[in-house]
Amino acid sequence: MNNVNEPSGEPRWLSEAEREAWRALSLMQLQLTARLGQALSGSGLSYQDYTVLAGLTDDPDGRMRVVEFSRQLGWEKSRVSHHVSRMIERGLVIRASCPTDKRGAFVVITDEGRRAIEAAAPGHVATVRKFFIDLLEESQVQAIQEIADTVLTNLKATCDER
Amino acid sequence: MNNVNEPSGEPRWLSEAEREAWRALSLMQLQLTARLGQALSGSGLSYQDYTVLAGLTDDPDGRMRVVEFSRQLGWEKSRVSHHVSRMIERGLVIRASCPTDKRGAFVVITDEGRRAIEAAAPGHVATVRKFFIDLLEESQVQAIQEIADTVLTNLKATCDER
DNA sequence: ACAACATAGGTGACAGATCAACTATTCCCA
DNA sequence: TGGGAATAGTTGATCTGTCACCTATGTTGT
């Protein structure tokens, strides 16, 4: 197995356009999530809180395994665990044990959590539209989807050979 | 001035495709930067360190105003300041005062910083290629550029009306 | 059946980011 | 020209995320 970082002549540097595209994308993501967070601030939920609660409401029972969250959000499991602990203190979710796998744990949304996300959702969606979705053509949204899928599939396929 | 979060009938929810595109994009960004960070770990630089040093080497004198970094990276100025302080302790950069504006400060790359980024750059670029650029068509890179520009322009234009 | 290994999750210490407050300068305009 | 507002930057408190490690349970191969 050969090393990615092995020096081998002059590397193929990125073109101006390639570098700029990556920079712009990173900046967009940063500013966009910052703005989404600001817009949520009145609701008492952070963007991260919102994401967790939104994940939970996707499930008919309003619960999800920690491991599943970890995959879906791309968060380390310890991050999920810490964040859930903080949300428990605020009464938004609880932990429940998993009957079929005694190692496992569910995160379950509480009534209070449900009220919080239901109150925040319309404003949040409006913000996502205003600063992102409504600025783009349908084809651009689709392009994002395709790009992200390509990149994610490749990342998953190579998660061992670091 | 009317409030974004004003309830006004049933909100226009996001379509499945729209929600999924945003989710996939966020996940991609998260996993990609995580991977770039891992790949850099052998070099003693974090992805953030690399970004700062790369910004500095863009300048012929290897220096940049804090304010400029703040804009370019999308970091809060206090984040820049704290991060620079940590990098100073490691000898990668120094602070220098600005003669034309006595409030201002330059961040200047040191020889050690230069050596560090020069050593890390080939591997980093290879990683960016492997996990991102080389997976995409030129048209896709361009699409990213256009999307990000659109969104960023709009964000800048509305930075007051929060 | 059981040893070896893998997986799920939590924990504490630490690194990194945010927020509010503060100082020092510069800008602006009356 | 002077006084208020704006801008540049730093700092400390606090919150959030990461890393290494730990326990408990599950899985697999012989």
Side-chain angles (χ1 to χ4, degrees), chain B residues 65 67 77 81-82 95 103 105:
Chain B
R65 286 288 294 272
V67 128
K77 58 193 176 150
S81 190
H82 281 304
R95 260 190 259 268
R103 294 168 304 182

Side-chain angles (χ1 to χ4, degrees), chain A residues 3-156:
Chain A
N3 186 344
V4 168
N5 298 316
E6 198 64 50
S8 53
E10 185 65 6
R12 288 166 50 228
W13 301 110
L14 301 182
S15 72
E16 186 56 26
E18 289 165 339
R19 218 145 47 94
E20 186 50 28
W22 171 245
R23 204 191 65 77
L25 180 65
S26 303
L27 191 55
M28 177 190 88
Q29 195 74 12
L30 212 56
Q31 314 247 77
L32 212 38
T33 53
R35 184 59 70 95
L36 294 176
Q38 284 168 7
L40 274 170
S41 65
S43 73
L45 297 178
S46 69
Y47 181 60
Q48 290 88 328
D49 297 335
Y50 187 96
T51 312
V52 167
L53 294 179
L56 292 176
T57 54
D58 278 345
D59 180 84
D61 296 327
R63 60 182 204 175
M64 183 161 265
R65 285 289 294 273
V66 170
V67 127
E68 188 53 24
F69 257 136
S70 190
R71 263 192 293 273
Q72 184 177 314
L73 305 178
W75 292 6
E76 306 211 354
K77 59 195 175 149
S78 74
R79 177 177 177 185
V80 175
S81 191
H82 282 304
H83 200 90
V84 164
S85 297
R86 277 176 246 134
M87 291 179 77
I88 287 173
E89 278 170 15
R90 293 191 289 144
L92 298 169
V93 298
I94 55 170
R95 261 190 257 267
S97 55
C98 174
T100 65
D101 184 342
K102 285 180 192 160
R103 293 168 306 178
F106 282 107
V107 184
V108 192
I109 193 169
T110 61
D111 290 349
E112 197 177 335
R114 234 178 250 283
R115 261 179 269 124
I117 193 172
E118 278 166 12
H124 180 69
V125 171
T127 312
V128 173
R129 283 207 171 281
K130 177 172 180 187
F131 292 110
F132 188 56
I133 293 292
D134 284 355
L135 303 174
L136 305 179
E137 305 290 338
E138 213 176 301
S139 64
Q140 292 181 303
V141 174
Q142 201 190 325
I144 287 172
Q145 179 74 60
E146 279 163 18
I147 290 166
D149 282 348
T150 302
V151 173
L152 288 169
T153 302
N154 179 261
L155 275 169
K156 206 180 304 175

